[in-house]
Amino acid sequence: MLATRLFAGSRLAFQPLSTRAFSSSPTNANLKLAYDFYEAEKPDAKKDPIVFIHGLFGSRKNNRSMSKVFARDLNRPVYAIDLRNHGESPHDPRHDYTALAEDVEGFLQEHKIERPALIGHSMGAKTVMAVALRGKVKISSLIPVDNAPVDAALKSDFGKYIQAMRKIEDANIQKQSEADAILAEFEPNIGVRQFLLTNLARGKDGIQRFRIPVKYLASALDNMADFPFKDPEEARWEGPTLFVRGTKSHYVADETLPIVGRFFPTFKVADVDSGHWVISEKPQEFRDAVVDFLQDAE
């Protein structure tokens, strides 16, 4: 359930909109990020675009349906991007929030995207917070989803997922059902397994392999628990900010809210009755929170 103290509900309907897939050119040393572009039905230059960023082991495809909804309901263009080492974006052994933020900044500069609303889930949440606090580009609104600007250990599940992926790759399997059987030893939730298995692709030899560089991401798990900013006195972003958190998740616990407020003094919180996978678990509530917040910010 969405926190009614902040928002009112409405029905969610997914309808097709025109979508274009692109790759961006790198700016400076930033990587070339793959992305999809969702056009607003009635383009309005006065409305800020949205840049939508996935979480660890995800991709822009995870946000396809919601990107269409935002383009339609908010009448804003939406860019859904793949961060480095995810989806169709390049692989690089460096994977930390400073590098991820630099990639996003380069993407915005290359495409002349001015004052976007940044939405990011999990790893994407810390990435958009880092972009805001770095102050290298101008943004209009910030929506971190189920993560906080603190150093906090990842759930042990992520380490298990890495183990499962390595076991799948070592098995040289040819059927996704075989990969799912291995993954089921580590993760009972079929929805989470299906999410992870979207990273599998069949090679010319018929073997299923992961698109993501499992070795690089395994080495980066400690970086994903970290946050590059430690002192709110040295970095602060005072623009409109909405933290959407799952009430069954521990990533934005009540005790983190004072530090959230020091980094982002105008922040609001929308509580959704879900676990960490807020967007896929409760799409209607997530949509309502974001649409209401961005409409109020216009």
Side-chain angles (χ1 to χ4, degrees):
M1 179 180 295
L2 184 66
T4 54
R5 59 189 173 87
L6 289 177
F7 305 102
S10 62
R11 291 189 60 80
L12 180 66
F14 297 106
Q15 298 176 355
L17 291 178
S18 58
T19 306
R20 288 184 280 164
F22 301 90
S23 291
S24 70
S25 300
T27 300
N28 299 325
N30 304 319
L31 296 187
K32 180 179 180 180
L33 300 182
Y35 71 105
D36 287 334
F37 178 67
Y38 300 85
E39 295 182 288
E41 288 188 337
K42 298 178 181 178
D44 182 349
K46 296 180 181 180
K47 294 199 172 186
D48 300 321
I50 294 171
V51 175
F52 203 172
I53 305 178
H54 60 83
L56 184 61
F57 305 138
S59 75
R60 69 189 194 273
K61 293 180 179 179
N62 301 135
N63 296 325
R64 179 183 295 161
S65 295
M66 196 59 65
S67 294
K68 294 176 181 178
V69 167
F70 290 153
R72 182 198 69 209
D73 293 354
L74 288 165
N75 196 35
R76 298 187 184 202
V78 179
Y79 298 81
I81 68 177
D82 284 335
L83 293 176
R84 63 169 61 196
N85 297 319
H86 289 77
E88 297 177 0
S89 285
H91 298 173
D92 190 279
R94 183 184 176 193
H95 196 89
D96 57 52
Y97 288 114
T98 298
L100 296 175
E102 289 172 348
D103 288 344
V104 173
E105 291 162 2
F107 179 85
L108 298 178
Q109 292 164 355
E110 177 69 18
H111 293 278
K112 297 179 173 57
I113 302 172
E114 298 180 355
R115 290 182 48 78
L118 298 184
I119 305 174
H121 172 248
S122 192
M123 175 182 71
K126 281 191 171 180
T127 299
V128 299
M129 284 187 277
V131 170
L133 293 173
R134 282 165 54 84
K136 305 291 185 182
V137 293
K138 292 183 178 180
I139 63 177
S140 61
S141 303
L142 188 68
I143 305 178
V145 183
D146 214 55
N147 218 336
V150 297
D151 297 345
L154 297 180
K155 288 178 61 179
S156 60
D157 293 352
F158 288 99
K160 290 192 303 180
Y161 300 157
I162 290 288
Q163 287 182 291
M165 290 177 186
R166 284 175 163 167
K167 187 172 182 178
I168 289 169
E169 290 197 328
D170 290 344
N172 290 325
I173 57 96
Q174 296 190 8
K175 297 179 180 179
Q176 192 168 96
S177 59
E178 297 173 323
D180 184 61
I182 293 173
L183 190 54
E185 301 172 16
F186 299 83
E187 173 55 60
N189 187 305
I190 188 171
V192 175
R193 298 203 307 272
Q194 289 174 339
F195 160 74
L196 294 171
L197 292 174
T198 60
N199 289 297
L200 273 182
R202 186 186 303 277
K204 294 181 179 179
D205 57 1
I207 301 300
Q208 298 268 3
R209 296 184 178 87
F210 285 99
R211 294 186 183 91
I212 57 177
V214 176
K215 180 179 179 180
Y216 291 166
L217 294 178
S219 300
L221 288 183
D222 287 344
N223 292 337
M224 296 298 92
D226 197 7
F227 189 65
F229 293 90
K230 314 299 180 186
D231 185 358
E233 299 304 318
E234 296 180 358
R236 183 179 293 111
W237 193 73
E238 299 184 358
T241 304
L242 177 69
F243 278 78
V244 183
R245 62 177 180 172
T247 56
K248 298 175 184 176
S249 172
H250 75 281
Y251 283 106
V252 192
D254 286 345
E255 52 265 31
T256 67
L257 295 183
I259 191 68
V260 167
R262 293 181 66 198
F263 278 118
F264 305 101
T266 64
F267 85 103
K268 297 179 180 179
V269 175
D271 288 335
V272 176
D273 183 19
S274 74
H276 181 58
W277 310 98
V278 178
I279 302 171
S280 60
E281 290 181 45
K282 293 296 177 70
Q284 176 68 53
E285 288 86 343
F286 175 74
R287 176 265 175 208
D288 291 347
V290 172
V291 168
D292 286 358
F293 174 73
L294 290 180
Q295 285 179 336
D296 287 344
E298 288 180 353

